[in-house]
Amino acid sequence: MNQTERRLFLIKNLISEQTQYQNIVIPEDETEQKMLLRSLFNIRMPIPASEDFLAVQDAYLQKETKYKGITEISILNPIAEGMYLWQGDITTLRCDAIVNAANSRLLGCFCPNHGCIDNAIHTFAGVQLRLACAELMKRQGHEEETGKAKITPAFNLPCCYVIHTVGPIIRGWLTQKDKELLASCYRSCLELADRNNLKSIAFCCICTGEFHFPNDKAAQIAIQTVKDYKAQTHSEIEVIFNVFKETDYNIYQNLLPTN
């Protein structure tokens, strides 16, 4: 199969799973097909998929990521000892683990084609990730607590693992408790990475999107928490601060040399 054939196969199979979408007309335009496929991935519940489906899905997603271009941690230049600043799509980064800014259900974003990082990570990891998260949550028996972290395989992403953490949602004034919870997110991810003998971890800008944590304060907490953790534990884990927006890149670039 080529990519078009794989994409159509996946769309038809996903539509066939849900009777309410049987009348969807598959567009001929490639971009619209990709948007439809992503939407169908996003709304799919955490249920098993057939081996045939997974084989086609995995080949499709891995090829799409290759088209976007994979960035190896080995080509990055440290901006401080053991720390890197990289602007780009975290789903294309090859390192030991990337951090997902998750919600308390830990099942990913169900909003079709939403622009959050949770949506992107679940989309390009494949349907296996939502199922893995659902199994974690079933065993836990309650929603994920703010400031904690969980680890899963990364499936079709270039990294090896995804570490999921739930940050504080900011409503109104930023409080000291909010700051402590965000710091706890970073510490929990680092501790989990070290317990699993990971050598590198890439942090997104946790909480600065849908959860409305101020970007500059979040960056200060991220950098200071990582520095404190490495100093206290003598951890040699390499930390990548991943940013997507130019605003965040400038904030981190200004903060890292002076922290």
Side-chain angles (χ1 to χ4, degrees):
M1 287 186 178
N2 59 32
Q3 283 298 84
T4 300
E5 291 168 336
R6 293 184 184 110
R7 184 165 57 249
L8 291 172
F9 173 90
L10 295 171
I11 289 172
K12 290 174 183 177
N13 273 266
L14 290 167
I15 289 174
S16 70
E17 286 184 339
Q18 305 182 66
T19 56
Q20 66 268 41
Y21 301 119
Q22 297 297 309
N23 295 324
I24 286 180
V25 177
I26 301 174
E28 295 184 6
D29 179 74
E30 178 181 323
T31 300
E32 292 181 3
Q33 286 181 8
K34 288 183 176 182
M35 291 180 65
L36 174 57
L37 177 57
R38 182 165 179 166
S39 296
L40 292 168
F41 277 144
N42 296 156
I43 62 175
R44 186 179 189 269
M45 298 303 290
I47 57 176
S50 70
E51 290 184 7
D52 288 345
F53 179 91
L54 293 177
V56 175
Q57 177 213 242
D58 294 355
Y60 178 80
L61 291 175
Q62 290 170 27
K63 182 74 75 172
E64 288 297 296
T65 298
K66 189 175 290 185
Y67 286 156
K68 290 190 292 184
I70 296 172
T71 298
E72 306 280 350
I73 186 176
S74 59
I75 71 168
L76 302 182
N77 295 316
I79 195 166
E81 186 176 356
M83 292 190 281
Y84 302 78
L85 176 61
W86 179 69
Q87 184 176 18
D89 179 353
I90 201 169
T91 67
T92 65
L93 184 60
R94 196 190 306 279
C95 59
D96 282 355
I98 63 172
V99 172
N100 179 29
N103 57 51
S104 60
R105 293 176 65 199
L106 224 69
L107 296 182
C109 172
F110 282 84
C111 182
N113 290 291
H114 194 255
C116 69
I117 194 166
D118 198 13
N119 188 295
I121 287 174
H122 274 267
T123 297
F124 292 101
V127 299
Q128 300 98 313
L129 182 58
R130 179 166 283 168
L131 183 58
C133 288
E135 290 170 349
L136 276 177
M137 296 305 285
K138 184 179 180 180
R139 289 195 298 270
Q140 179 165 280
H142 58 81
E143 291 191 344
E144 183 71 353
E145 295 177 43
T146 302
K148 305 296 185 180
K150 293 285 188 296
I151 189 168
T152 64
F155 299 102
N156 290 292
L157 297 171
C159 57
C160 301
Y161 298 95
V162 178
I163 295 179
H164 311 260
T165 190
V166 181
I169 300 174
I170 307 306
R171 299 182 177 93
W173 297 106
L174 184 67
T175 68
Q176 182 61 31
K177 181 65 173 178
D178 294 328
K179 297 176 184 178
E180 291 170 358
L181 286 170
L182 182 59
S184 179
C185 288
Y186 283 91
R187 281 195 304 273
S188 295
C189 290
L190 290 164
E191 289 167 356
L192 190 53
D194 272 336
R195 286 202 302 272
N196 285 273
N197 299 312
L198 306 187
K199 303 301 181 188
S200 57
I201 184 172
F203 284 104
C204 62
C205 299
I206 303 169
C207 284
T208 59
E210 295 298 309
F211 286 12
H212 306 298
F213 207 106
N215 297 56
D216 55 344
K217 300 296 184 185
Q220 291 170 11
I221 291 167
I223 294 169
Q224 194 59 54
T225 304
V226 169
K227 291 194 71 173
D228 290 347
Y229 176 84
K230 288 171 74 71
Q232 292 162 7
T233 65
H234 307 292
S235 172
E236 296 183 357
I237 192 168
E238 294 188 295
V239 176
I240 305 159
F241 295 106
N242 164 248
V243 298
F244 193 74
K245 298 177 181 178
E246 193 70 24
T247 300
D248 289 312
Y249 183 85
N250 292 333
I251 289 170
Y252 274 90
Q253 194 173 44
N254 289 333
L255 287 172
L256 275 166
T258 58
N259 274 269

